[in-house]
Amino acid sequence: MLDSFSKAVAEADTQTTYVESYRIAELRQFIETGSHRIEIAKMLGQQAKSIVANAVSAMLTENPQLIQEGGNCYPASRMAACLRDGGFILRYISYALLAGNASVLEEHCLFGLKETYNTLGVPIPSVLRAVAVMKNSTLELVENLLGDSDASMKASLVLETSQYFDLVTTALL
Ligand code: PEB
């Protein structure tokens, strides 16, 4: 599991060099975005329940068979597992945003997830739909949170957030 700093150091160590100047520039940019990353992580923690609940309920509205007998969100214990999974995914995305690096998301959440879902019969298209709704609402919340802060910094954090969601999708395809 890496963050922006450990990644730069590990890479330099492998090459037995000082941290290269383009990496130094990336670290400078990472530091400049630091307080925004903290704000985003805090906001996601506070909004997680509603982000997840809205996404799962949108998914269920479009596909109500999931909560009927035989559906993967039936009975309530499976529904709870589904909400919990949505929360896990969002939480690992918040860690990646804090770290400025996807490895925590990839190694601790996404690794083997597709296989787990296939084994359990969790319908992946429905997971993808819930993730897509979480992505849309999270991006909107991040945009609002960053308000009128520096436009390019805001754009790059929104893009980074969006890329972490895309990693989730790619891992499940
Ligand atoms: C991944 N999800 C489930 C299980 C695991 C995960 C390991 C099996 C064991 C258990 O139930 O705890 N666990 C989860 C995860 C991490 C982790 C992401 C990351 C750290 O440790 N069912 C649906 C929806 C979808 C869903 C489409 C969006 O119909 C999820 C929610 N996951 C779902 C359900 C189960 C499950 C388990 C319903 C229970 C399946 C079952 O018990 O048959």
Side-chain angles (χ1 to χ4, degrees):
M1 180 184 132
L2 297 169
D3 59 34
S4 295
F5 280 90
S6 47
K7 183 181 169 209
V9 170
E11 187 183 275
D13 191 21
T14 310
Q15 297 166 353
T16 62
T17 59
Y18 284 87
V19 174
E20 289 189 72
S21 56
Y22 81 97
R23 286 278 183 221
I24 296 279
E26 282 176 5
L27 289 177
R28 190 184 304 282
Q29 204 201 7
F30 176 66
I31 290 171
E32 283 165 3
T33 57
S35 61
H36 289 318
R37 290 176 188 278
I38 287 170
E39 287 305 311
I40 294 170
K42 184 176 152 200
M43 178 277 288
L44 289 178
Q46 287 165 345
Q47 303 295 327
K49 277 213 166 100
S50 83
I51 296 171
V52 173
N54 289 341
V56 170
S57 85
M59 173 196 84
L60 293 173
T61 308
E62 291 165 18
N63 196 350
Q65 303 93 295
L66 285 168
I67 42 172
Q68 275 144 30
E69 208 167 338
N72 202 270
C73 287
Y74 179 93
S77 56
R78 283 212 184 89
M79 179 69 190
C82 181
L83 288 162
R84 179 208 61 189
D85 282 15
F88 281 170
I89 290 169
L90 190 63
R91 180 160 56 84
Y92 280 95
I93 287 175
S94 85
Y95 296 162
L97 277 160
L98 275 180
N101 187 286
S103 68
V104 65
L105 171 66
E106 288 171 320
E107 292 165 20
H108 293 199
C109 178
L110 301 180
F111 181 74
L113 187 58
K114 180 181 177 178
E115 292 73 16
T116 303
Y117 281 161
N118 282 334
T119 305
L120 291 168
V122 172
I124 289 183
S126 297
V127 181
L128 293 175
R129 182 65 193 129
V131 170
V133 179
M134 289 206 295
K135 174 180 172 179
N136 287 341
S137 52
T138 300
L139 294 185
E140 199 178 319
L141 286 164
V142 170
E143 292 240 15
N144 291 341
L145 181 74
L146 299 184
D148 48 13
S149 49
D150 178 80
S152 78
M153 187 185 290
K154 180 171 163 178
S156 88
L157 282 168
V158 170
L159 177 66
E160 188 180 325
T161 309
S162 147
Q163 286 166 342
Y164 294 141
F165 278 97
D166 294 344
L167 275 180
V168 177
T169 304
T170 308
L172 294 175
L173 285 177

